[in-house]
Amino acid sequence: MEPPDTSDILSFQGYTLPWSKTGQRSHTAVASAVWFWQLAVLLPPLRILFRLKACSTNEAMFVRVKLASRQRRLVGVERLRSRPNLSDKAVKTPMPPLLLIRLFGCCYSYDQTSASFIKVPRMPAGIIQQMQSAVLALTSVDQGGSWEHFNAPGSWPRRLRQAMYGPNLVPMAHFTFARFLLAELLSPLFLFQCLQIAMWAWGYVYYSYTMVLAAIMLMGCVLSASLLYAQQKRLAAVANQTRLVPIVSKGRVQAMKSQQLVPGDVIVVQAGQAVCDMVLLQGNALTDESRLTGQDVNMRKVAYTPEHYPGMEYDPNLQRPCTIFAGSFIQQV
């Protein structure tokens, strides 16, 4: 099932939970009140009517998103207390919290200028400058420099990017076995077969024959749904498998889970399956991208050098010789 186009978002309306209604989460003895409470939790219009009140977007606990398709979604607002970089000693005033909402697998951050939520860009702000600084630092290290200040955690907002981009996982839709079974039972072919069996049983009185056919058809639907459910679990296990990745931090190489990687981390490339999209900063690599492109040709990757692309910012689609894509197999480093 494809999600709606997020570019068709028309407006955002903020809502908050008033203090007079915060105690309504306790159980009540009146059955009708419990029933209306559950409806208010499940249905966004009733939830807004019975529990929430309108407020400005920057003070909202929930946001009602209005789409061009006349659909409305009620999503919760995440508040992140953003901090300035540790290297910036001049900033002493507390910064306003960062407001985030997640919709259709995408993250939106609140923009103070437009007083609305805007989609988080594919590449974080400042990542290009961080890459160029890392290349210069590696060149300095090769000439005898120190690793102590190489890509220091306080020099770039790692916590902020982790909150905005989430864990390093492949977004996949997880459906239950009942969902697959319902899809099989509602397929046009199965419904047509059920109509044929009903006509045979009504017109020719073949009850025993039609019961056997109905049982076989139901067994086929159950087996097909079980195979699809098992295949989904296998794909999720392969796509989101956890590995330990050597990451360079504070002048040392530390092991970190691949799910905790964020844009801006500097890792040591090893042979095996690539766990994320990477820019090669030093050295060469030989990769197999047949799983991604279908072409059984080994690709040679070279280090990214900003001087080779004057006036151009890094783009993974343009600088493919410098990019190792997630899912490709690294044969040699």
Side-chain angles (χ1 to χ4, degrees):
M1 180 181 299
E2 296 184 358
D5 189 3
T6 56
S7 61
D8 294 336
I9 296 178
L10 297 181
S11 63
F12 298 93
Q13 173 62 51
Y15 290 91
T16 186
L17 186 63
W19 66 270
S20 60
K21 298 183 180 180
T22 55
Q24 294 183 5
R25 292 184 178 274
S26 60
H27 294 284
T28 176
V30 183
S32 60
V34 175
W35 186 69
F36 278 110
W37 173 266
Q38 295 299 327
L39 284 180
V41 171
L42 296 177
L43 301 178
L46 292 180
R47 188 175 185 181
I48 293 173
L49 178 62
F50 289 105
R51 297 183 56 197
L52 306 178
K53 69 175 183 179
C55 65
S56 58
T57 311
N58 59 344
E59 299 177 354
M61 300 173 60
F62 301 91
V63 171
R64 185 184 65 176
V65 183
K66 183 179 180 181
L67 305 178
S69 59
R70 297 184 179 181
Q71 295 182 358
R72 290 175 173 83
R73 300 293 180 93
L74 188 65
V75 294
V77 178
E78 302 178 18
R79 292 180 175 269
L80 178 65
R81 294 291 178 179
S82 56
R83 299 179 300 176
N85 296 337
L86 298 180
S87 58
D88 192 359
K89 303 297 184 180
V91 179
K92 296 182 180 180
T93 59
M95 301 178 64
L98 178 67
L99 306 183
L100 301 174
I101 63 172
R102 304 187 188 276
L103 185 67
F104 303 133
C106 302
C107 183
Y108 293 79
S109 62
Y110 182 75
D111 182 34
Q112 298 285 347
T113 305
S114 60
S116 181
F117 287 88
I118 59 175
K119 189 176 181 180
V120 173
R122 183 179 62 172
M123 297 184 62
I127 191 69
I128 307 298
Q129 293 76 7
Q130 186 180 357
M131 290 169 48
Q132 296 175 355
S133 301
V135 172
L136 295 178
L138 287 174
T139 304
S140 175
V141 169
D142 292 339
Q143 297 175 358
S146 175
W147 286 88
E148 183 178 356
H149 300 290
F150 175 76
N151 203 41
S155 62
W156 58 285
R158 188 181 192 280
R159 178 171 172 265
L160 178 63
R161 293 181 185 176
Q162 188 175 17
M164 297 180 66
Y165 290 91
N168 180 33
L169 296 174
V170 178
M172 297 182 62
H174 297 278
F175 300 116
T176 61
F177 174 76
R179 180 74 175 270
F180 285 111
L181 183 59
L182 182 62
E184 292 291 331
L185 295 177
L186 295 180
S187 62
L189 180 59
F190 181 79
L191 295 178
F192 178 73
Q193 291 175 348
C194 291
L195 180 61
Q196 283 186 327
I197 290 178
M199 293 177 61
W200 290 343
W202 179 265
Y204 300 98
V205 200
Y206 290 157
Y207 296 115
S208 58
Y209 179 65
T210 54
M211 290 178 62
V212 172
L213 284 180
I216 294 175
M217 291 167 52
L218 287 175
M219 290 178 59
C221 290
V222 172
L223 290 177
S224 178
S226 61
L227 289 176
L228 291 175
Y229 182 69
Q231 184 179 8
Q232 174 191 251
K233 294 179 63 176
R234 288 195 299 268
L235 289 176
V238 172
N240 297 323
Q241 58 181 349
T242 304
R243 291 175 49 189
L244 291 178
V245 180
I247 179 174
V248 181
S249 177
K250 299 180 181 180
R252 296 176 296 177
V253 178
Q254 303 175 349
M256 178 179 292
K257 293 183 179 180
S258 58
Q259 297 179 354
Q260 299 176 352
L261 293 175
V262 298
D265 285 332
V266 178
I267 66 176
V268 180
V269 181
Q270 293 179 323
Q273 183 176 354
V275 296
C276 63
D277 292 344
M278 297 176 284
V279 183
L280 197 60
L281 299 180
Q282 190 179 55
N284 301 315
L286 192 65
T287 63
D288 179 12
E289 299 180 356
S290 59
R291 297 181 181 179
L292 306 178
T293 62
Q295 301 177 358
D296 193 10
V297 178
N298 295 331
M299 305 295 295
R300 183 173 180 268
K301 303 295 182 179
V302 297
Y304 170 73
T305 307
E307 291 77 11
H308 292 172
Y309 306 94
M312 293 179 56
E313 292 188 350
Y314 170 77
D315 191 310
N317 296 323
L318 299 179
Q319 283 85 11
R320 295 182 68 91
C322 311
T323 307
I324 301 177
F325 296 95
S328 59
F329 190 82
I330 305 174
Q331 296 181 340
Q332 186 178 358
V333 179

